[in-house]
Amino acid sequence: MSEKLLNWDEVLIGGAIKDPGNSKSYETGSWRVERPVWNPESCIQCMFCWVYCPDSSILVDENGKMSGIDYDHCKGCGICVEQCPTKPKSLAMLLEADAKGKSEEDLRKEVFSK
Amino acid sequence: MGKKVALTGNEAAAHAIRQINPDVVAAFPITPSTPIPQNVAQFIADGKMDTELVTVESEHSAMSACVGAAAAGGRVMTATSANGYALMWEILYIASGSRLPIVMAVAARALSAPLNIHGDHSDIMGGRDTGWIQLVAENSQETYDNLIQAIKIAENKDVMTPALGAFDGFNISHAIEIWELEDDNKVKEFVGEYTPLYPLLNTKEPVTHGAWAPPDWYFEHKMNQLEGLLNAKDVVVKVGKEFGSAFGREYGLYEAYKMDDAEYVIVAMGSVCGTTKDVVDSLRENGVKAGLLKVRLFRPFPYKELADALSSAKAIAVLDRVSPAGAQGGALFTEIRSALYDANNRPPVINYTYGLGGRDTQPQHINSVYDKLKTIAETGKVDKQFDCLNLRGTWG
Ligand code: SF4
Ligand code: SF4
């Protein structure tokens, strides 16, 4: 969901926000230079990445399992990669420029088959 | 009925705060405004008001506490001077940007260095662009009246902008004058109840204050804020009229003293206007068409109205109680001169800095200004656009 940009005479007085939680509509993923790529095959579901991610960008499914990355909001800080305890790591950083136009499947293969 | 009292300007401010009885006062003492929170503390201790007095460790914290209390939905007041005002700087912008109608009494004072605790306008003129409404008083009566009006102005739905009521440190803050203290109930009725727009404490309608505005939002919010500040101009006039009907003393954007046919005009703010009025009176007795334009509202600056009020002037001197600090002249001078650029009547305008750090300004000094204006009007020549009053040594 992307936000609707309002005119100066439409914004709420004093920058107040009446619909809490609207930071979701601000897609900080656009700031990213590098992105984390996840390898579900080696992931041990320890959830360290979820605990440490400063942007709540580790996706969790209905069973409470790590299920991927929210690329709309992930800023690409790399903290999740640092924290991942598996050897080799189940998360790896890749330049955004190198990820352009490729599917997540392809990227996983590219990063983790080496 | 109100009653005549003989009290200082600081006490006038403290009585206004007592009668307004805000939810919160957060303040830190600094000369010359210290007696304001001191008196407020005494009033609270004596059971004469039930304000929550928050004692803090600095003015930065004082204004921060004011912002928090105002965002929570309270009616909030404070007082400060000089370096204390300067220490509030960052939070002054947060108060105005968050549209919190905090009202502050400022006993205007010089800023260090050199260390000086006496009166001038260095503090409020330095803070003129912090987005606050600025009212400047000539005496204790106006100090009291302005603070009461400031509540209604700041809290007006079209304004919702913090306001300060300034008065000269020591000249007003510590001088005992006779002024009219109105009835508690009448003041209470005049200021009315405050209904905050988006109080944090209303848990039924959760709201966020102080959120982040990235480059694609900040600009719109700042212009929305500016509109609120600009709206204050008409509200100042409206509230000034209402105050007149309630208490018999009407206020506007400025006071035009013997200005109807005035040819030699001083434009000034604050206590020097009292001295200037005396000089105008004696010049008028001698047939000299002298006048004074006393600016009451400095922010938002009513440039159009002030230019219109100067339409009969043949020569104008603007008195600034602040150093020009590298500008063409003092803050009031540059604004007045700019306002006159679009006027039909564009007489010569000169500028004086006076009264820095509590330097006395006497009738002889004001007389010398009118003498200068007469010469300028007669010869059409300005030898010095900027000069100083009562400074040792020749400037420029
Ligand atoms: S790179 Fe940073 S922001 Fe993105 S998922 Fe990992 S920890 Fe979160
Ligand atoms: S830290 Fe690594 S192993 Fe643990 S859940 Fe995240 S990706 Fe899986």
Side-chain angles (χ1 to χ4, degrees), chain B residues 152-175:
Chain B
K152 276 190 97 161
I153 297 161
E155 291 174 1
N156 182 287
K157 288 283 167 290
D158 297 329
V159 178
M160 287 300 287
T161 296
L164 67 79
F167 51 102
D168 290 359
F170 289 100
N171 304 77
I172 303 176
S173 72
H174 283 63

Side-chain angles (χ1 to χ4, degrees), chain B residues 169-187:
Chain B
F170 289 100
N171 304 77
I172 303 176
S173 72
H174 283 63
I176 294 176
E177 285 181 276
I178 295 173
W179 52 276
E180 190 104 3
L181 176 68
E182 301 299 342
D183 275 353
D184 291 1
N185 281 338
K186 261 190 101 178
V187 174

Side-chain angles (χ1 to χ4, degrees), chain B residues 166-228:
Chain B
F167 51 102
D168 290 359
F170 289 100
N171 304 77
I172 303 176
S173 72
H174 283 63
I176 294 176
E177 285 181 276
I178 295 173
W179 52 276
E180 190 104 3
L181 176 68
E182 301 299 342
D183 275 353
D184 291 1
N185 281 338
K186 261 190 101 178
V187 174
K188 199 175 166 187
E189 193 188 313
F190 181 79
V191 295
E193 290 280 319
Y194 169 52
T195 321
L197 279 182
Y198 304 114
L200 276 177
L201 291 185
N202 180 4
T203 50
K204 289 202 188 81
E205 285 180 52
V207 65
T208 303
H209 283 274
W212 180 59
D216 51 3
W217 284 100
Y218 182 85
F219 198 172
E220 281 71 24
H221 281 292
K222 292 316 275 186
M223 291 302 106
N224 185 284
Q225 176 193 341
L226 176 63
E227 196 193 33

Side-chain angles (χ1 to χ4, degrees), chain B residues 279-336:
Chain B
V279 173
V280 168
D281 289 347
S282 55
L283 288 172
R284 285 276 173 176
E285 273 167 31
N286 296 318
V288 180
K289 289 184 173 172
L292 164 72
L293 184 64
K294 180 179 90 185
V295 177
R296 174 180 183 237
L297 180 70
F298 187 74
R299 279 290 182 271
F301 193 72
Y303 53 92
K304 179 83 175 54
E305 291 80 356
L306 291 171
D308 288 348
L310 289 165
S311 60
S312 68
K314 288 190 174 155
I316 298 167
V318 181
L319 308 189
D320 272 288
R321 202 170 180 182
V322 65
S323 162
Q328 189 179 354
L332 186 56
F333 168 78
T334 51
E335 302 258 358
I336 290 285

Side-chain angles (χ1 to χ4, degrees), chain A residues 37-40 42-52 58 65-67 69 79-86 88-91:
Chain A
V37 180
W38 178 49
N39 183 5
S42 60
C43 172
I44 58 168
Q45 292 295 340
C46 69
M47 303 307 277
F48 279 16
C49 54
W50 175 77
V51 170
Y52 281 98
I58 300 296
K65 301 243 168 165
M66 152 64 161
S67 62
I69 314 280
I79 289 174
C80 53
V81 179
E82 280 298 313
Q83 296 303 324
C84 182
T86 59
K89 287 181 184 291
S90 305
L91 287 161

Side-chain angles (χ1 to χ4, degrees), chain A residues 8 10 12 28 32 38-39 41 44 48 53 55 58 63 65 68 75-76 80 83 86 90 100 104 111-112:
Chain A
W8 72 268
E10 296 169 334
L12 208 56
T28 47
R32 205 169 47 235
W38 178 49
N39 183 5
E41 262 137 58
I44 58 168
F48 279 16
C53 173
D55 289 299
I58 300 296
N63 303 316
K65 301 243 168 165
K75 288 178 195 155
C80 53
Q83 296 303 324
T86 59
S90 305
K100 270 228 167 75
E104 197 153 1
V111 175
F112 293 108

Side-chain angles (χ1 to χ4, degrees), chain B residues 318-393:
Chain B
V318 181
L319 308 189
D320 272 288
R321 202 170 180 182
V322 65
S323 162
Q328 189 179 354
L332 186 56
F333 168 78
T334 51
E335 302 258 358
I336 290 285
R337 224 171 122 93
S338 172
L340 289 169
Y341 192 83
D342 299 318
N344 293 327
N345 177 38
R346 280 204 271 166
V349 190
I350 57 169
N351 186 211
Y352 289 90
T353 281
Y354 74 98
L356 293 194
R359 177 62 51 85
D360 209 14
T361 304
Q362 297 163 354
Q364 53 166 323
H365 307 120
I366 300 297
N367 256 312
S368 74
V369 174
Y370 282 113
D371 282 345
K372 180 61 117 188
L373 291 178
K374 262 166 69 184
T375 311
I376 289 173
E378 277 157 22
T379 62
K381 278 199 201 101
V382 176
D383 57 343
K384 257 186 184 180
Q385 191 181 77
F386 175 81
D387 208 346
C388 299
L389 279 184
N390 200 11
L391 170 79
R392 285 188 302 279

